[in-house]
Amino acid sequence: MTEDKLSERLLEAKGGCVRYLVGGAGPPLVLVHGLGGSATNWCELAPLLTRGHRLVIPDLPGHGRSDPLPAVSGLHSFADRVFDVMVEEDAAPAPVVGHSLGGLVALRLALRRPEAVSALVLAGSAGLSIGRPWLRELITANVVLRPGGLAGRYRARITQSPVLRRLVFGFVSVADPVGLTDSAVEGFLAGQVLHTDTASAWRALRHDDPRQELERLRCPTLMLWGGEDHQLPLDDAFEYARRLRAPLRTIAGCGHLLIGERPEPCAHAIDAFLVSVDSRFAASAAAADTDTS
């Protein structure tokens, strides 16, 4: 599924326009992309999830076609924009899947508005570390210099060149850049030419540490991680899983961009987790009915 098979919508919210995509049928499911990404990052995973869900996929502020925030005091401002879209689409409460920065935004949303998030899937989620010091400086340079904009303009050429694929996607810890589908390359690079302010999200991310707040999270959570993610290592996944008492599913043969590298096992893990959550809720409701009868 590419962007043209999803409906594009715009929401005026608190002085800025948020662009998002909607598609599929069934209970709502919200997908939140990572730093420097856009809604098109989900182009490989979305068609697998629309079989049983109505997807709501926003461009975060300053990313893709969404306006930047007038002021940023933390990642909760980004979480509030996601919530605004959920309310507009009558999609709350709903499970939220967040990738990389989007994982921390989703976590912030669940902590800030627990009534809006019924379950969380944190896929290669930021929040506990931002990799090694040299990697942090490299990401800072990337945000400032925006080489992704150049890559986005020449994405058709990158698609056709194994060398350029390795150059562009090796930086973000893709296990097999040459093995990415053409549509995945397009999906990861298309939004790069449209970004207006990714630096605010990066600054907010660098100053956000959720460790002391994780115990407050009440919704069921799944950790989903690339087995070869060198950008956000498996140590982060283990710590998240331990603190949240959450199951961890590692996807072999992929790195940090697991949602595009191995969409099928990602979709299977998400669907299986959500089925288990629904089963638990149904069992709890049945037990409550028994107790009151």
Side-chain angles (χ1 to χ4, degrees):
M1 174 180 290
T2 54
E3 184 179 355
D4 62 330
K5 294 184 179 179
L6 297 167
S7 298
E8 180 183 67
R9 300 182 184 178
L10 300 174
L11 172 65
E12 291 291 339
K14 300 176 183 175
C17 180
V18 181
R19 178 257 196 173
Y20 61 98
L21 305 176
V22 178
L29 177 63
V30 181
L31 309 180
V32 186
H33 66 78
L35 179 70
S38 68
T40 59
N41 287 181
W42 302 94
C43 67
E44 293 291 283
L45 190 52
L48 305 176
L49 296 175
T50 52
R51 298 169 184 171
H53 304 278
R54 179 170 65 91
L55 300 184
V56 179
I57 315 175
D59 281 341
L60 289 174
H63 292 68
R65 294 190 174 96
S66 287
D67 291 340
L69 293 165
V72 177
S73 56
L75 285 178
H76 63 271
S77 302
F78 294 83
D80 287 347
R81 285 293 195 273
V82 175
F83 177 72
D84 291 340
V85 171
M86 293 174 68
V87 171
E88 177 69 14
E89 289 297 318
D90 193 23
V96 181
V97 182
H99 173 243
S100 196
L101 166 72
L104 187 52
V105 171
L107 181 61
R108 281 273 157 247
L109 175 60
L111 290 169
R112 189 171 175 81
R113 300 183 183 276
E115 75 285 355
V117 180
S118 58
L120 273 179
V121 178
L122 303 181
S125 180
L128 298 186
S129 77
I130 319 171
R132 300 171 180 83
W134 66 266
L135 180 59
R136 291 197 294 270
E137 297 309 315
L138 194 59
I139 295 175
T140 299
N142 183 66
V143 168
V144 173
L145 299 176
R146 294 192 60 198
L150 181 63
R153 285 193 291 274
Y154 291 97
R155 59 189 181 274
R157 185 175 299 177
I158 293 169
T159 298
Q160 301 303 316
S161 170
V163 173
L164 292 177
R165 280 171 173 253
R166 292 189 182 97
L167 180 64
V168 172
F169 288 100
F171 162 71
V172 286
S173 180
V174 170
D176 180 16
V178 178
L180 285 173
T181 65
D182 292 352
S183 61
V185 173
E186 171 73 19
F188 283 123
L189 295 181
Q192 297 281 345
V193 297
L194 302 171
H195 297 339
T196 53
D197 181 17
T198 59
S200 292
W202 173 235
R203 287 193 297 270
L205 171 60
R206 291 191 68 165
H207 290 93
D208 194 303
D209 188 344
R211 285 178 176 84
Q212 302 306 313
E213 301 172 72
L214 294 179
E215 287 71 18
R216 294 197 294 111
L217 189 69
R218 293 293 176 262
C219 65
T221 304
L222 170 69
M223 306 309 304
L224 190 62
W225 226 267
E228 298 178 42
D229 189 341
H230 303 298
Q231 184 165 321
L232 293 176
L234 273 172
D235 286 349
D236 285 17
F238 289 129
E239 184 175 356
Y240 261 129
R242 179 179 62 81
R243 288 176 176 269
L244 295 174
R245 296 182 176 85
L248 167 62
R249 171 73 185 275
T250 58
I251 307 297
C254 63
H256 187 58
L257 299 186
L258 68 165
I259 61 172
E261 294 178 76
R262 297 291 305 281
E264 290 84 2
C266 286
H268 181 269
I270 292 168
D271 282 333
F273 169 67
L274 295 180
V275 167
S276 72
V277 170
D278 289 342
S279 297
R280 275 182 279 169
F281 282 153
S284 297
D289 288 342
T290 301
D291 290 341
T292 57
S293 62

